[in-house]
Amino acid sequence: MALDKLLILGAPGSGKGTQAKFIADQYGYKHISSGDILRKTASEDTEIGRQIAAIIKAGELVPDELINQMFLNSFKQLEGKKIICDGYPRKLSQAEFLAENNFVFDAVIYLNVSLEEVTDRISGRLTAKISGETYHIKHRPPKVEGVCDVSGEKLIIREDDKPETVKKRYSVYLKETEPLLEFYGSKGVVIEVDSEKSIDVVWKDIERVVFKKK
Ligand code: AP5
Protein backbone atom coordinates (compact mmCIF):
# COMPACT_ATOMS: atom_id res chain seq x y z
CA MET A 1 0.00 0.00 0.00
CA ALA A 2 1.28 3.49 -0.88
CA LEU A 3 1.96 5.66 2.14
CA ASP A 4 2.49 8.98 0.42
CA LYS A 5 -0.02 11.09 2.33
CA LEU A 6 0.03 10.71 6.09
CA LEU A 7 -1.82 12.56 8.83
CA ILE A 8 -0.70 12.46 12.46
CA LEU A 9 -3.51 13.05 14.93
CA GLY A 10 -3.65 13.38 18.71
CA ALA A 11 -4.23 15.69 21.65
CA PRO A 12 -2.05 18.77 22.27
CA GLY A 13 1.24 17.40 23.60
CA SER A 14 0.62 13.84 22.38
CA GLY A 15 3.91 13.98 20.46
CA LYS A 16 2.68 14.78 16.93
CA GLY A 17 5.43 17.29 16.17
CA THR A 18 8.16 15.12 17.70
CA GLN A 19 7.20 11.95 15.80
CA ALA A 20 6.32 13.77 12.54
CA LYS A 21 9.83 15.19 12.50
CA PHE A 22 11.31 11.67 12.87
CA ILE A 23 9.10 10.47 9.99
CA ALA A 24 10.23 13.41 7.85
CA ASP A 25 13.93 12.99 8.67
CA GLN A 26 14.12 9.22 8.42
CA TYR A 27 11.60 8.39 5.67
CA GLY A 28 11.92 11.44 3.40
CA TYR A 29 8.55 13.07 4.07
CA LYS A 30 7.79 16.78 3.94
CA HIS A 31 6.51 17.78 7.40
CA ILE A 32 3.60 20.22 7.23
CA SER A 33 2.86 21.57 10.69
CA SER A 34 -0.20 23.84 10.76
CA GLY A 35 0.84 25.14 14.19
CA ASP A 36 4.30 26.19 12.93
CA ILE A 37 2.83 27.81 9.81
CA LEU A 38 0.18 29.69 11.80
CA ARG A 39 2.67 30.78 14.50
CA LYS A 40 4.88 32.22 11.76
CA THR A 41 1.94 34.20 10.34
CA ALA A 42 1.02 35.25 13.89
CA SER A 43 4.50 36.71 14.43
CA GLU A 44 4.09 39.08 11.46
CA ASP A 45 2.97 42.65 12.06
CA THR A 46 -0.13 42.48 9.87
CA GLU A 47 -3.87 42.55 10.56
CA ILE A 48 -4.21 38.84 9.84
CA GLY A 49 -1.08 38.09 11.92
CA ARG A 50 -2.53 39.87 14.95
CA GLN A 51 -5.88 38.14 14.48
CA ILE A 52 -4.28 34.67 14.37
CA ALA A 53 -1.96 35.46 17.32
CA ALA A 54 -4.97 36.31 19.51
CA ILE A 55 -6.79 33.10 18.53
CA ILE A 56 -3.77 30.89 19.24
CA LYS A 57 -3.09 32.62 22.56
CA ALA A 58 -6.68 31.90 23.62
CA GLY A 59 -6.35 28.21 22.66
CA GLU A 60 -9.15 28.50 20.08
CA LEU A 61 -9.10 27.27 16.48
CA VAL A 62 -8.34 29.57 13.55
CA PRO A 63 -11.48 29.84 11.31
CA ASP A 64 -11.69 27.50 8.32
CA GLU A 65 -12.01 30.34 5.82
CA LEU A 66 -8.53 31.59 6.74
CA ILE A 67 -6.81 28.24 6.29
CA ASN A 68 -8.71 25.62 4.27
CA GLN A 69 -7.76 26.89 0.83
CA MET A 70 -4.22 27.69 1.97
CA PHE A 71 -3.53 24.10 3.11
CA LEU A 72 -5.25 22.55 0.09
CA ASN A 73 -3.02 24.68 -2.17
CA SER A 74 0.15 23.57 -0.35
CA PHE A 75 -0.92 19.93 -0.57
CA LYS A 76 -1.58 20.33 -4.30
CA GLN A 77 1.83 21.93 -4.81
CA LEU A 78 3.40 18.90 -3.14
CA GLU A 79 1.48 16.39 -5.30
CA GLY A 80 3.68 13.36 -5.97
CA LYS A 81 5.85 13.99 -2.88
CA LYS A 82 5.54 12.19 0.45
CA ILE A 83 3.90 14.42 3.07
CA ILE A 84 3.16 14.11 6.77
CA CYS A 85 0.44 16.53 7.93
CA ASP A 86 0.52 17.55 11.56
CA GLY A 87 -2.35 19.69 12.86
CA TYR A 88 -4.45 20.08 9.70
CA PRO A 89 -7.19 18.90 9.37
CA ARG A 90 -8.24 19.09 13.02
CA LYS A 91 -12.01 19.41 12.77
CA LEU A 92 -14.70 17.65 10.81
CA SER A 93 -15.40 20.59 8.49
CA GLN A 94 -11.69 20.68 7.49
CA ALA A 95 -11.58 16.91 6.84
CA GLU A 96 -14.78 17.15 4.79
CA PHE A 97 -13.35 20.09 2.81
CA LEU A 98 -10.29 17.99 1.87
CA ALA A 99 -12.44 14.98 0.96
CA GLU A 100 -14.72 17.16 -1.21
CA ASN A 101 -11.58 18.32 -3.02
CA ASN A 102 -10.47 14.72 -3.58
CA PHE A 103 -7.60 14.86 -1.13
CA VAL A 104 -7.32 11.48 0.57
CA PHE A 105 -4.92 10.33 3.32
CA ASP A 106 -3.33 6.90 2.88
CA ALA A 107 -2.97 6.49 6.66
CA VAL A 108 -3.84 8.44 9.80
CA ILE A 109 -1.52 7.83 12.73
CA TYR A 110 -3.43 8.36 15.97
CA LEU A 111 -1.28 9.02 19.04
CA ASN A 112 -3.38 7.95 22.01
CA VAL A 113 -2.37 9.53 25.33
CA SER A 114 -3.97 10.59 28.65
CA LEU A 115 -4.66 14.16 29.79
CA GLU A 116 -2.35 13.60 32.78
CA GLU A 117 0.58 12.74 30.50
CA VAL A 118 0.03 15.64 28.06
CA THR A 119 -0.15 18.09 30.95
CA ASP A 120 3.27 16.93 32.14
CA ARG A 121 4.71 17.06 28.62
CA ILE A 122 3.46 20.53 27.75
CA SER A 123 4.54 21.97 31.08
CA GLY A 124 8.15 20.99 30.27
CA ARG A 125 8.22 21.80 26.56
CA LEU A 126 10.89 24.08 25.09
CA THR A 127 10.64 25.16 21.47
CA ALA A 128 13.11 26.44 18.89
CA LYS A 129 11.36 28.94 16.62
CA ILE A 130 13.81 28.86 13.71
CA SER A 131 14.73 25.17 13.50
CA GLY A 132 11.28 23.92 14.61
CA GLU A 133 12.93 21.47 17.05
CA THR A 134 11.06 20.60 20.25
CA TYR A 135 12.66 19.63 23.56
CA HIS A 136 11.46 18.70 27.03
CA ILE A 137 13.22 19.65 30.25
CA LYS A 138 13.05 16.02 31.51
CA HIS A 139 12.19 13.73 28.59
CA ARG A 140 14.29 15.32 25.81
CA PRO A 141 16.66 17.93 27.21
CA PRO A 142 18.92 19.88 24.83
CA LYS A 143 22.68 19.23 25.14
CA VAL A 144 23.24 22.77 26.44
CA GLU A 145 20.54 24.15 28.75
CA GLY A 146 18.18 26.57 26.97
CA VAL A 147 19.90 26.26 23.57
CA CYS A 148 18.79 24.38 20.43
CA ASP A 149 21.16 21.51 19.48
CA VAL A 150 20.55 22.10 15.77
CA SER A 151 20.48 25.90 15.30
CA GLY A 152 22.11 27.21 18.49
CA GLU A 153 19.14 29.57 19.00
CA LYS A 154 17.66 30.33 22.44
CA LEU A 155 14.77 28.02 23.35
CA ILE A 156 11.41 29.53 24.26
CA ILE A 157 8.17 28.51 25.99
CA ARG A 158 5.18 28.77 23.63
CA GLU A 159 2.60 31.44 24.46
CA ASP A 160 -0.20 28.88 24.44
CA ASP A 161 1.58 26.45 26.80
CA LYS A 162 0.33 28.18 29.95
CA PRO A 163 -1.72 25.71 32.09
CA GLU A 164 -5.08 27.51 31.64
CA THR A 165 -4.63 27.65 27.83
CA VAL A 166 -3.57 23.98 27.72
CA LYS A 167 -6.86 23.01 29.44
CA LYS A 168 -8.78 25.04 26.86
CA ARG A 169 -6.84 23.47 23.97
CA TYR A 170 -7.54 20.00 25.36
CA SER A 171 -11.29 20.66 25.58
CA VAL A 172 -11.26 22.03 22.00
CA TYR A 173 -9.43 18.84 20.98
CA LEU A 174 -12.09 16.60 22.55
CA LYS A 175 -14.96 18.52 20.97
CA GLU A 176 -13.53 19.32 17.52
CA THR A 177 -10.68 16.92 16.72
CA GLU A 178 -11.63 13.57 18.28
CA PRO A 179 -14.60 13.17 15.86
CA LEU A 180 -11.99 12.84 13.08
CA LEU A 181 -11.16 9.39 14.45
CA GLU A 182 -14.64 8.20 13.50
CA PHE A 183 -14.49 10.03 10.15
CA TYR A 184 -11.18 8.43 9.12
CA GLY A 185 -11.94 5.21 11.05
CA SER A 186 -14.93 4.62 8.74
CA LYS A 187 -12.50 4.81 5.81
CA GLY A 188 -10.28 2.16 7.42
CA VAL A 189 -7.09 4.24 7.48
CA VAL A 190 -6.54 4.87 11.21
CA ILE A 191 -3.48 3.30 12.85
CA GLU A 192 -3.51 3.71 16.63
CA VAL A 193 -0.23 4.00 18.54
CA ASP A 194 0.03 4.08 22.33
CA SER A 195 1.79 7.41 22.96
CA GLU A 196 1.87 7.07 26.73
CA LYS A 197 5.32 5.45 26.38
CA SER A 198 8.72 7.12 25.99
CA ILE A 199 9.66 9.03 22.82
CA ASP A 200 11.95 6.22 21.60
CA VAL A 201 9.43 3.46 22.23
CA VAL A 202 6.63 5.40 20.47
CA TRP A 203 8.97 5.91 17.50
CA LYS A 204 9.87 2.18 17.37
CA ASP A 205 6.13 1.34 17.46
CA ILE A 206 5.42 3.78 14.59
CA GLU A 207 8.22 2.25 12.53
CA ARG A 208 6.89 -1.24 13.23
CA VAL A 209 3.16 -0.69 12.69
CA VAL A 210 3.21 2.02 10.01
CA PHE A 211 6.40 1.34 8.06
CA LYS A 212 6.45 -2.43 8.81
CA LYS A 213 10.06 -2.29 10.01
CA LYS A 214 11.08 -5.62 11.55
P1 AP5 B 1 -0.31 23.03 17.17
O1 AP5 B 1 1.03 23.66 17.15
O2 AP5 B 1 -0.66 22.04 16.15
O3 AP5 B 1 -0.55 22.50 18.64
P2 AP5 B 1 -1.23 21.17 19.22
O4 AP5 B 1 -2.04 20.34 18.29
O5 AP5 B 1 -1.93 21.65 20.44
O6 AP5 B 1 -0.06 20.24 19.46
P3 AP5 B 1 1.27 20.57 20.19
O7 AP5 B 1 2.23 21.23 19.24
O8 AP5 B 1 0.99 21.27 21.49
O9 AP5 B 1 1.76 19.14 20.62
P4 AP5 B 1 2.38 17.92 19.82
O10 AP5 B 1 1.36 16.82 19.77
O11 AP5 B 1 2.99 18.35 18.52
O12 AP5 B 1 3.48 17.48 20.86
P5 AP5 B 1 5.09 17.66 20.83
O13 AP5 B 1 5.67 16.68 19.86
O14 AP5 B 1 5.47 19.08 20.71
O15 AP5 B 1 -1.45 24.19 17.09
C1 AP5 B 1 -1.36 25.35 17.87
C2 AP5 B 1 -2.56 26.24 17.61
O16 AP5 B 1 -2.60 26.64 16.21
C3 AP5 B 1 -3.95 25.62 17.86
O17 AP5 B 1 -4.30 25.67 19.23
C4 AP5 B 1 -4.82 26.52 16.97
O18 AP5 B 1 -5.07 27.78 17.57
C5 AP5 B 1 -3.95 26.74 15.76
N1 AP5 B 1 -4.18 25.71 14.71
C6 AP5 B 1 -3.27 24.78 14.28
N2 AP5 B 1 -3.83 24.00 13.35
C7 AP5 B 1 -5.10 24.44 13.17
C8 AP5 B 1 -6.18 24.01 12.35
N3 AP5 B 1 -6.06 22.96 11.52
N4 AP5 B 1 -7.35 24.68 12.44
C9 AP5 B 1 -7.49 25.74 13.25
N5 AP5 B 1 -6.51 26.20 14.06
C10 AP5 B 1 -5.33 25.53 14.03
O19 AP5 B 1 5.41 17.13 22.31
C11 AP5 B 1 5.07 17.88 23.44
C12 AP5 B 1 6.20 17.82 24.49
O20 AP5 B 1 6.31 16.50 25.01
C13 AP5 B 1 7.60 18.18 23.94
O21 AP5 B 1 8.31 18.85 24.94
C14 AP5 B 1 8.23 16.79 23.63
O22 AP5 B 1 9.64 16.82 23.74
C15 AP5 B 1 7.60 15.91 24.71
N6 AP5 B 1 7.28 14.56 24.26
C16 AP5 B 1 6.81 14.18 23.04
N7 AP5 B 1 6.59 12.85 23.02
C17 AP5 B 1 6.92 12.38 24.27
C18 AP5 B 1 6.91 11.08 24.90
N8 AP5 B 1 6.52 9.99 24.21
N9 AP5 B 1 7.30 10.99 26.18
C19 AP5 B 1 7.71 12.11 26.88
N10 AP5 B 1 7.76 13.36 26.35
C20 AP5 B 1 7.37 13.50 25.07
Side-chain angles (χ1 to χ4, degrees):
M1 185 183 68
L3 283 178
D4 290 348
K5 296 177 201 151
L6 302 181
L7 170 65
I8 192 157
L9 205 65
S14 56
K16 301 183 295 296
T18 303
Q19 300 295 338
K21 212 157 193 319
F22 293 160
I23 292 173
D25 292 346
Q26 304 204 25
Y27 287 88
Y29 283 75
K30 167 89 178 149
H31 176 198
I32 304 175
S33 158
S34 59
D36 286 352
I37 292 167
L38 292 170
R39 276 186 290 278
K40 186 166 179 297
T41 310
S43 69
E44 290 160 7
D45 188 18
T46 58
E47 182 49 41
I48 188 96
R50 284 187 286 275
Q51 208 181 327
I52 291 178
I55 294 170
I56 293 179
K57 195 172 172 195
E60 308 274 0
L61 294 186
V62 175
D64 289 358
E65 54 273 25
L66 292 184
I67 54 176
N68 270 348
Q69 198 58 48
M70 177 178 96
F71 282 104
L72 181 65
N73 291 347
S74 345
F75 296 166
K76 279 186 178 159
Q77 277 166 18
L78 290 163
E79 192 65 56
K81 299 218 166 67
K82 295 197 286 186
I83 60 172
I84 168 91
C85 302
D86 158 16
Y88 181 91
R90 73 167 66 201
K91 60 191 286 205
L92 217 43
S93 56
Q94 297 175 357
E96 284 165 354
F97 171 79
L98 288 183
E100 282 156 16
N101 284 282
N102 304 316
F103 184 90
V104 175
F105 287 106
D106 299 316
V108 174
I109 304 167
Y110 166 49
L111 299 181
N112 192 358
V113 71
S114 65
L115 172 61
E116 206 185 356
E117 180 68 20
V118 295
T119 308
D120 169 65
R121 288 184 192 176
I122 291 183
S123 67
R125 171 163 54 190
L126 297 166
T127 309
K129 245 182 161 172
I130 301 167
S131 68
E133 294 290 326
T134 301
Y135 301 87
H136 190 280
I137 44 173
K138 280 191 306 216
H139 310 302
R140 195 183 188 218
K143 290 188 189 112
V144 178
E145 199 184 316
V147 177
C148 177
D149 296 350
V150 178
S151 60
E153 72 195 275
K154 194 168 173 286
L155 298 173
I156 55 154
I157 295 173
R158 262 169 51 177
E159 271 254 57
D160 59 345
D161 278 353
K162 297 194 178 82
E164 51 301 353
T165 319
V166 171
K167 266 197 200 144
K168 170 74 188 169
R169 283 163 57 205
Y170 193 79
S171 70
V172 170
Y173 165 77
L174 292 180
K175 182 164 174 266
E176 305 283 4
T177 310
E178 264 204 350
L180 292 192
L181 290 175
E182 210 179 305
F183 180 85
Y184 288 116
S186 71
K187 300 180 189 316
V189 291
V190 176
I191 302 172
E192 182 169 339
V193 174
D194 178 5
S195 192
E196 201 79 15
K197 303 173 188 167
S198 73
I199 294 177
D200 290 350
V201 173
V202 175
W203 173 236
K204 292 251 150 50
D205 285 349
I206 289 178
E207 285 203 286
R208 188 171 43 79
V209 296
V210 180
F211 298 105
K212 309 293 177 208
K213 188 172 172 187
K214 304 267 184 231

